[in-house]
């Protein structure tokens, strides 16, 4: 009797222990929704069009124009009172247009030459008027003629140096770009461009 009771107690304890440690059953498997697989590759975005020409930049050449004008103005003032010395007017007439030609702007050189021809006409008229007005005067202060000559000189210099003295040229740093070989993920060989600015 005791052994039967002990056996029943052992079986009951083992049953309780087994029921306490057994895990709960898992829920039924849910079917996954159809979607893109992890290995699917997204389409590659289109490449930007490669530039085949260097970009254009604006370049001003004000300093050479002003130097040419400074060289020409001093003889021009002397020529205003000595119009028979034609060589004194030549630096003002030709030096700034030659600067335009040196920077590759022949059309602007023609415009500059036309402006300077008008400048020489205005300075010559002012000098002739001063000679006529001051030929018999002991003290002569020809303010109007001098203002006319100064206005003509300053206007031509400002327009030529600050408005016309510019050009569009290719970016010089473009020539520093280097072509480098590379390989795409698909195994195709390509050329890449590397540069330092």
């Amino acid at each position: 009797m005791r052994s039967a009771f002990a056996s029943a107690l052992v079986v009951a304890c083992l049953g309780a222990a087994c029921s306490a440690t057994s895990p709960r059953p898992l829920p039924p498997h849910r079917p996954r929704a159809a979607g893109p697989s992890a290995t699917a590759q997204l389409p590659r975005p289109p490449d930007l069009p490669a530039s085949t020409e260097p970009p254009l930049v604006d370049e001003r050449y004000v300093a050479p124009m002003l130097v040419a004008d400074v060289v020409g103005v001093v003889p021009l003032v002397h020529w205003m009172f000595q119009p028979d010395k034609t060589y004194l007017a030549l630096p003002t007439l030709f030096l700034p247009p030659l600067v335009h030609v040196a920077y590759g702007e022949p059309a602007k050189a023609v415009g500059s030459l036309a402006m300077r021809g008008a400048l020489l006409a205005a300075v010559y008229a002012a000098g002739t008027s001063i000679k006529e007005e001051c030929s018999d005067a002991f003290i002569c202060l020809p303010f109007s003629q001098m203002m006319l000559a100064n206005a003509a000189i300053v206007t031509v210099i400002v327009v030529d140096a600050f408005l016309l003295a510019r050009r569009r040229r290719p970016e010089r740093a473009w020539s520093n770009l280097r072509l480098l070989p590379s390989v795409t993920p698909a195994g195709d060989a390509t050329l890449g461009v590397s540069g330092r600015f």
Side-chain angles (χ1 to χ4, degrees):
M1 178 99 170
R2 287 183 183 175
S3 67
F5 180 72
S7 298
L9 183 63
V10 170
V11 170
C13 288
L14 286 176
C18 290
S19 65
T21 58
S22 64
R24 295 176 115 190
L26 295 174
H29 179 70
R30 292 184 193 174
R32 294 184 63 182
S37 62
T39 59
Q41 294 184 355
L42 296 175
R44 181 178 175 181
D47 292 334
L48 294 175
S51 179
T52 57
E53 295 183 358
L56 297 177
V57 295
D58 284 327
E59 181 184 24
R60 293 180 176 271
Y61 47 97
V62 177
M65 292 295 294
L66 292 179
V67 170
D69 281 318
V70 168
V71 170
V73 162
V74 176
L76 179 66
V77 173
H78 289 291
W79 176 75
M80 183 169 62
F81 301 105
Q82 301 171 349
D84 55 326
K85 297 181 178 179
T86 310
Y87 61 89
L88 293 174
L90 296 181
T92 295
L93 182 63
F94 292 115
L95 283 182
L98 287 176
V99 173
H100 285 299
V101 171
Y103 277 86
E105 296 290 337
K108 292 182 179 179
V110 173
S112 176
L113 192 63
M115 282 194 308
R116 288 171 190 283
L119 168 63
L120 294 184
V123 170
Y124 179 81
T128 303
S129 177
I130 290 172
K131 274 189 175 182
E132 291 175 358
E133 184 178 332
C134 300
S135 59
D136 297 330
F138 180 71
I139 297 176
C140 181
L141 299 174
F143 285 113
S144 59
Q145 292 88 343
M146 293 300 295
M147 290 298 293
L148 171 66
N150 286 333
I153 292 171
V154 170
T155 301
V156 169
I157 289 175
V158 168
V159 170
D160 209 1
F162 293 97
L163 295 181
L164 294 182
R166 65 168 60 182
R167 67 172 178 172
R168 291 180 68 79
R169 62 166 179 80
E171 174 59 59
R172 292 192 184 98
W174 186 263
S175 61
N176 297 334
L177 295 175
R178 295 180 299 167
L179 293 176
L180 300 176
S182 61
V183 179
T184 64
D188 299 329
T190 62
L191 287 178
V193 177
S194 171
R196 201 169 179 189
F197 296 94

